[in-house]
Amino acid sequence: SVPVVHLLSGSRSALPAPDSLSLLPDEKATMGISVDTHFAALHHFIRRYAGEDNWNGLAPTIEDGVRAEYWIDRVLAENKGLT
């Protein structure tokens, strides 16, 4: 297949904006990127808690945490005594 090149004229973004950006406050309500991202995380948590998971896979699950802990435990066990 032949690569296709699209020149950007500024009339549209290079990448499609993900739906999860709707969790962030708009430009009139922004409090800075740090506060906005914390707000978005809390907003997502509350919506998931209420049973509205419109962004499946956006946040880690309990299973993801268990899998991460498994690997942390393995690494710690392998490196025991190397500190």
Side-chain angles (χ1 to χ4, degrees):
S1 79
V2 177
V4 177
V5 176
H6 297 279
L7 298 177
L8 300 176
S9 65
S11 61
R12 59 184 173 154
S13 63
L15 297 173
D19 293 337
S20 58
L21 284 179
S22 65
L23 291 167
L24 290 167
D26 64 12
E27 60 274 356
K28 291 182 181 179
T30 186
M31 296 171 277
I33 190 66
S34 181
V35 175
D36 288 354
T37 53
H38 282 86
F39 175 82
L42 180 59
H43 185 190
H44 184 237
F45 172 79
I46 291 170
R47 293 197 57 172
R48 283 183 71 185
Y49 187 77
E52 301 174 24
D53 194 5
N54 298 337
W55 303 277
N56 191 16
L58 181 64
T61 64
I62 295 295
E63 291 81 16
D64 295 329
V66 169
R67 193 174 307 116
E69 285 297 322
Y70 168 79
W71 287 107
I72 290 169
D73 289 344
R74 294 249 341 242
V75 168
L76 291 174
E78 288 289 325
N79 293 300
K80 193 172 190 173
L82 295 178
T83 57

